[in-house]
Amino acid sequence: MADKKTKKKQEGQNSTIAKNRQATFEYSVEERFEAGLVLEGWEVKSLRDGRVQLKESYVDIKKGEAWLLGAHISALLSASTHIKPEAVRRKKLLLNRHELNKLIGSVERKGYTIIPLSMYWKNGRAKLEIGLAKGKQLHDKRAASKDQDWKREQARIMKKG
């Protein structure tokens, strides 16, 4: 019984599996959504081991369904021999109809892009945080990095007192 409690505490402390840090640099995120993932068994085991990369992944909408493309989940060495794991397989995202309609409208009419921001555990299930975003131009990226440097400098000054 004690093992289950410690397991839950560990999941709560480090529930983030992977983050797409480059996404906030390349895009300005307007709105965020939480989506479930349709995964195979070996993929869940790999997620628990932290073998996922979201860097070059994106979300595509086809036939009224959202799909995660380009996310790299590498298989464990102890994966079953009768399954041939694909590292970059497209995965279906689970969203309700209202959220899907909002995403479809924004992408088609307003020119937004849907990008994965982070993957995490929630109640024992893998969730993906996706963002409705617009691409930043070079001068916007420079301004963002200047703001980040200034905030870092402010924190140093405040810490020294």
Side-chain angles (χ1 to χ4, degrees), residues 21-54:
R21 294 181 185 195
Q22 200 166 7
T24 53
F25 179 71
E26 296 286 335
Y27 299 94
S28 60
V29 180
E30 305 273 325
E31 199 170 347
R32 296 170 186 255
F33 297 93
E34 181 182 74
L37 288 158
V38 177
L39 298 170
E40 293 180 358
W42 66 269
E43 291 174 323
V44 176
K45 288 181 180 182
S46 294
L47 290 182
R48 292 201 189 282
D49 200 34
R51 295 174 165 255
V52 63
Q53 185 179 24
L54 297 173

Side-chain angles (χ1 to χ4, degrees), residues 111-124:
Y112 282 92
T113 305
I114 307 170
I115 53 169
L117 300 172
S118 66
M119 192 179 287
Y120 54 92
W121 296 109
K122 184 175 180 183
N123 298 330

Side-chain angles (χ1 to χ4, degrees), residues 54-60 67-71 93 113-116:
L54 297 173
K55 189 174 183 180
E56 295 180 5
S57 59
Y58 61 97
V59 177
D60 192 20
W67 298 87
L68 176 65
L69 301 162
L93 297 179
T113 305
I114 307 170
I115 53 169

Side-chain angles (χ1 to χ4, degrees), residues 63-131:
K63 297 180 183 176
E65 295 179 336
W67 298 87
L68 176 65
L69 301 162
H72 190 277
I73 299 176
S74 56
L76 294 172
L77 295 173
S78 60
S80 181
T81 55
H82 68 279
I83 295 173
K84 293 181 181 162
E86 290 181 51
V88 188
R89 180 180 75 86
R90 68 180 202 165
K91 295 146 197 69
K92 186 175 179 180
L93 297 179
L94 305 173
L95 293 159
N96 63 36
R97 180 54 50 196
H98 176 72
E99 291 172 336
L100 270 172
N101 289 340
K102 189 169 189 174
L103 289 172
I104 291 168
S106 297
V107 168
E108 289 180 356
R109 290 185 211 106
K110 299 177 188 171
Y112 282 92
T113 305
I114 307 170
I115 53 169
L117 300 172
S118 66
M119 192 179 287
Y120 54 92
W121 296 109
K122 184 175 180 183
N123 298 330
R125 304 205 190 293
K127 300 289 182 178
L128 183 71
E129 183 181 24
I130 59 175

